[in-house]
Amino acid sequence: MARASSGLAYPERFYAAAAYVGFDGSPNSNDMDIGSRFSTDVALILYALYQQATVGPCNVPKPSLWNPVEQGKWKSWKQLGNMVSAEAMRLFVKILEEEEPGWYSRASNSVLEPVTDVQMNHNAIVEPIIENRNSFAETKTISAENGGLIETQDIDVVSEGLGSVVVYDQWTSLPITGQRPKGRYEHAAAVVEDKMYIYGGNHNGRYLSDLHVLDLRSCTWSKIEAKVESKSVETPSPINITPSAGHSLIPWENKLLSIAGHTKDPSETFQVKAFDLQIGTWSMLNTYGKPPVSRGGQSVTLVGTTLVIFGGEDAKQTLLNDLHILDLETLTWDEIDAVGVPPSPRSGHAAVVHAEHYLLIFGGGSHATCFNDLHVLDLQTMEWSRPTQQGEIPVPRAGHAGVTVGENWFIVGGGDNKSGASETVVLNMSTLAWSVVTSVEGRVPLASEGLSLVVGSLNGEDILISFGGYNGHYNSEVNVLKPSHKSTLQSKIMEGPLPDSVSAVHNATNPTRDLESEFEVGQEGKIRETAIDNFEPMKSKGGETSEHILAMLKAEKEELESSFNNEKLLSLQLKQELADAEARNTDLYKELQSVRGQLASEQSRCFKLEVDVAELRQKLQTMETLQRELELLQRQKATSEQVAINAKQRQGSGGVWGWLAGSTPQNADDA
């Protein structure tokens, strides 16, 4: 928990903080008090921020070398450069809140409203406002308990480009100029030299092939009118750059490589397209070896000079979990048959490489369900394993995006076809511990599927930048988040070599747990060795010295430690196999339930068809009977008509003479 105020707004809040620290307006006010309450570094930066906020950039002459205190203060102030006053005020208050969280309630000029505990690093809704032709972003912090607004006074001045980002661990919507790309998802993004490139994607079921670039310094969009090479030396036929979605965009040398992706007219060939950033043309790379089948929703990870491709969904909607490697220097494909239990077939997952040694796969989805499992591939032994995750494990999701900052893997967005994932989470890849960075509420682009996420830079600090996504409508917003220093601290666990007694598979899955176990064994051995060393040499009844006893005890100790390590390793392996079997069983059960539902639906449809066929057969038999009766009646009618005709003919056979004689007509036979 951190403390925040709901009373004073800026700049009054800054002046209250400055008065609490001891600044009364003069450059040298209460230096002794400030130096005794804070460390030297903190005192210097507070002084510099106060001067920057109240006076402006440092333009005073450099003090004499004989006064190191004044020289340190001058240097700290000078390093702030042209930082705007409002940003200096915010940073001053932020540092004070980190050093003394309860300063607001203890301030001499007490606030009118009580201090309220709020959960920091939570939802931040940014609403741009215009004041005196200057753009501001008003950050509203959401309570972790009931989601109600409890703070609306923190205003961040939006300066040019990413300089507007001054709040840590909160998503901020940037004011963008220029021709914004249309909303989309399943596109691809990459950053090259402070420029974010967006290529392709899906909009309203239509695949796109446009290429846009966002200048991260000026936050200006522009569209690139890319050309297409008509012919190449290797391929004399014209090149067709088809629109695609679900592809990957990888910066390589002076090119952007577009890998795979869904197209309207899918081919069986895995396509690798290259956009030359210098001449602005698309070309198709000719690769060698056996390429993978075409697909979309796969993961493509750059490891050294190779691309590692995993999973995805092919043109026949078949989910994949195969593993392929493309050497970018020789453009040669290689299919990898890794050992161990691989992740189940999936698409829309996220992948990352850690320490150029381990490939991590998280989440994704099949046709029936979404996953939140974590798999690790040792790139040296090509062995799959499934480690035990720690901390706040994320909810199942697919269509999310991930980037790394140091050894921290940030995951944003995604969903489970019912709702979007609202939490931005981070995984420490050394400890495999998850934690929540922040959370958003409502139907916002950050809780959508198919968004992109890249890493930019601001004054030496990393910035997460997201674009697009689909959550009921197609988004085109740009949001940024600056991770706090605490979330990007480098872990010291991996600096030393891992113990030899732990297998390579378990090293890949949970190095922290291995080190803890080894530490426990080492501590136990150290205690026992200390106790043994404290024995004084003494003679036994058999004439044996304590040295023999020590040797026996040490040998027994080593044997017990060896047995203990073997048993522990066997136990860990069995637990891992059990976890893998349970996960596999869960996945198979879900697939079985889905198949059972489909089978029941098909059985119901077949039964209905059989009933319809029986009814049609009965009607056909009735029609045949009626046909036969009709034919009989027609024959009877024909006979009756013939008899009538014959009778008429006989009546007229007597002639005129018979009529004159007054005799009645007789049959022809009588005549």
Side-chain angles (χ1 to χ4, degrees):
M1 280 293 194
R3 311 278 298 178
S5 167
S6 60
L8 293 178
Y10 285 95
E12 287 79 9
R13 189 176 180 185
F14 161 74
Y15 290 122
Y20 173 79
V21 171
F23 293 112
D24 57 4
S26 62
N28 299 316
S29 58
N30 293 336
D31 283 349
M32 296 297 294
D33 183 32
I34 298 171
S36 62
R37 293 167 56 187
F38 303 100
S39 64
T40 303
D41 294 339
V42 174
L44 286 175
I45 190 62
L46 286 176
Y47 165 81
L49 290 172
Y50 177 82
Q51 293 296 103
Q52 191 80 9
T54 56
V55 179
C58 180
N59 295 320
V60 299
K62 186 176 181 179
S64 172
L65 295 176
W66 298 103
N67 194 338
V69 175
E70 292 300 323
Q71 192 175 42
K73 292 163 62 176
W74 179 88
K75 184 177 180 181
S76 298
W77 184 11
K78 190 73 174 179
Q79 288 177 346
L80 296 181
N82 294 324
M83 179 184 291
V84 296
S85 175
E87 185 177 353
M89 290 182 180
R90 278 196 51 80
L91 289 177
F92 184 97
V93 176
K94 183 179 185 302
I95 292 175
L96 178 59
E97 289 176 347
E98 291 178 353
E99 294 294 323
E100 294 189 24
W103 75 271
Y104 199 56
S105 61
R106 297 193 298 268
S108 58
N109 56 339
S110 59
V111 296
L112 299 178
E113 296 181 20
V115 178
T116 307
D117 284 335
V118 299
Q119 179 71 40
M120 301 301 290
N121 301 338
H122 222 64
N123 186 30
I125 302 175
V126 179
E127 299 179 356
I129 60 175
I130 303 297
E131 182 177 339
N132 297 331
R133 296 185 179 180
N134 294 324
S135 178
F136 294 89
E138 185 175 2
T139 303
K140 298 181 179 180
T141 304
I142 305 300
S143 170
E145 298 178 356
N146 53 20
L149 292 174
I150 62 174
E151 185 176 7
T152 60
Q153 77 281 0
D154 292 345
I155 299 177
D156 303 326
V157 177
V158 177
S159 61
E160 183 179 4
L162 294 178
S164 61
V165 185
V166 297
V167 181
Y168 287 94
D169 295 335
Q170 292 182 359
W171 285 105
T172 304
S173 179
L174 285 184
I176 303 295
T177 60
Q179 182 182 358
R180 176 179 296 184
K182 67 172 58 177
R184 66 192 66 198
Y185 78 116
E186 291 184 339
H187 54 281
V191 169
V192 179
E193 295 181 353
D194 293 331
K195 292 182 179 180
M196 180 177 71
Y197 293 86
I198 299 293
Y199 172 63
N202 189 330
H203 177 84
N204 200 22
R206 186 169 68 90
Y207 294 156
L208 307 173
S209 61
D210 51 347
L211 181 63
H212 299 261
V213 59
L214 175 65
D215 191 317
L216 299 178
R217 296 179 178 177
S218 61
C219 286
T220 303
W221 277 113
S222 58
K223 184 177 180 180
I224 299 178
E225 299 298 336
K227 297 175 291 184
V228 179
E229 289 185 355
S230 58
K231 293 183 180 180
S232 64
V233 177
E234 299 84 357
T235 307
S237 60
I239 297 173
N240 183 22
I241 304 298
T242 57
S244 61
H247 50 281
S248 304
L249 199 63
I250 304 294
W252 174 251
E253 295 179 344
N254 62 337
K255 297 180 178 65
L256 292 175
L257 303 182
S258 175
I259 315 296
H262 296 297
T263 59
K264 286 296 182 182
D265 298 316
S267 64
E268 294 298 327
T269 306
F270 193 99
Q271 295 185 347
V272 180
K273 298 176 286 188
F275 178 76
D276 194 309
L277 294 170
Q278 294 180 350
I279 61 178
T281 58
W282 281 105
S283 61
M284 194 75 67
L285 293 185
N286 287 333
T287 58
Y288 307 94
K290 183 181 178 182
V293 297
S294 62
R295 66 192 65 196
Q298 73 291 324
S299 62
V300 180
T301 310
L302 180 63
V303 183
T305 60
T306 61
L307 295 179
V308 181
I309 292 90
F310 173 78
E313 183 179 11
D314 65 10
K316 300 178 182 178
Q317 296 185 344
T318 301
L319 293 171
L320 308 168
N321 66 342
D322 52 348
L323 190 65
H324 299 264
I325 289 181
L326 175 63
D327 191 321
L328 293 177
E329 293 183 339
T330 63
L331 294 180
T332 304
W333 285 105
D334 188 13
E335 184 175 2
I336 304 299
D337 187 13
V339 299
V341 180
S344 58
R346 66 190 63 199
S347 66
H349 53 280
V352 72
V353 63
H354 175 48
E356 299 294 315
H357 190 169
Y358 305 110
L359 179 72
L360 281 68
I361 304 289
F362 171 73
S366 66
H367 296 308
T369 185
C370 293
F371 309 110
N372 64 344
D373 50 356
L374 180 66
H375 298 263
V376 175
L377 174 67
D378 191 318
L379 296 174
Q380 295 183 358
T381 63
M382 288 300 171
E383 184 173 2
W384 285 108
S385 60
R386 184 173 178 178
T388 301
Q389 304 179 67
Q390 308 292 333
E392 304 178 54
I393 300 177
V395 297
R397 64 185 72 191
H400 48 284
V403 293
T404 58
V405 176
E407 62 179 14
N408 293 284
W409 188 16
F410 291 86
I411 299 293
V412 178
D416 56 3
N417 294 324
K418 297 179 181 179
S419 61
S422 60
E423 298 87 2
T424 297
V425 296
V426 59
L427 174 71
N428 186 295
M429 292 183 288
S430 290
T431 63
L432 297 184
W434 289 99
S435 59
V436 177
V437 178
T438 186
S439 180
V440 295
E441 292 184 1
R443 184 169 290 184
V444 295
L446 295 164
S448 60
E449 300 183 28
L451 76 169
S452 62
L453 187 68
V454 296
V455 177
S457 179
L458 170 65
N459 297 329
E461 293 185 289
D462 295 304
I463 301 292
L464 309 187
I465 308 169
S466 74
F467 171 79
Y470 178 78
N471 57 356
H473 68 277
Y474 301 91
N475 302 300
S476 61
E477 289 81 0
V478 177
N479 294 279
V480 296
L481 179 143
K482 180 162 62 173
S484 64
H485 298 288
K486 294 181 180 179
S487 65
T488 57
L489 288 176
Q490 293 291 331
S491 174
K492 302 299 181 181
I493 296 177
M494 295 295 292
E495 291 184 355
L498 294 177
D500 296 334
S501 62
V502 185
S503 65
V505 176
H506 193 65
N507 287 343
T509 58
N510 202 338
T512 304
R513 178 173 295 181
D514 295 340
L515 290 176
E516 291 175 354
S517 302
E518 194 71 12
F519 177 77
E520 293 173 0
V521 174
Q523 287 291 84
E524 181 182 359
K526 183 177 180 180
I527 294 173
R528 294 184 62 179
E529 289 176 358
T530 303
I532 292 172
D533 292 338
N534 288 335
F535 277 110
E536 295 181 0
M538 56 182 298
K539 297 290 184 179
S540 64
K541 292 182 179 180
E544 297 179 347
T545 64
S546 60
E547 295 178 354
H548 295 84
I549 299 176
L550 290 175
M552 293 174 59
L553 290 176
K554 287 183 178 180
E556 182 182 357
K557 166 182 169 289
E558 293 175 355
E559 182 179 358
L560 289 174
E561 286 181 349
S562 177
S563 300
F564 176 78
N565 290 334
N566 292 335
E567 292 296 328
K568 198 160 190 178
L569 180 59
L570 179 61
S571 176
L572 291 174
Q573 292 176 348
L574 292 175
K575 287 181 179 180
Q576 183 64 42
E577 293 176 358
L578 178 61
D580 293 340
E582 290 177 351
R584 193 71 177 174
N585 183 49
T586 302
D587 296 340
L588 291 175
Y589 179 78
K590 291 179 180 179
E591 294 289 345
L592 178 61
Q593 292 295 102
S594 176
V595 172
R596 283 178 175 174
Q598 296 176 1
L599 180 60
S601 177
E602 292 296 325
Q603 288 178 343
S604 176
R605 192 166 67 90
C606 290
F607 177 78
K608 184 178 180 181
L609 291 174
E610 290 176 355
V611 173
D612 294 339
V613 170
E615 292 177 354
L616 291 174
R617 285 178 177 174
Q618 185 176 4
K619 290 180 180 179
L620 181 60
Q621 292 176 356
T622 303
M623 291 179 65
E624 291 176 352
T625 302
L626 292 174
Q627 182 68 26
R628 288 194 295 269
E629 292 178 356
L630 178 61
E631 292 175 355
L632 179 61
L633 290 174
Q634 287 177 347
R635 288 196 297 269
Q636 291 176 354
K637 179 182 178 182
T639 303
S640 300
E641 290 176 352
Q642 186 64 38
V643 170
I645 293 172
N646 293 337
K648 276 187 176 183
Q649 290 177 353
R650 284 195 297 270
Q651 289 177 359
S653 63
V656 177
W657 299 110
W659 177 75
L660 291 175
S663 61
T664 60
Q666 297 179 352
N667 292 336
D669 295 337
D670 295 338

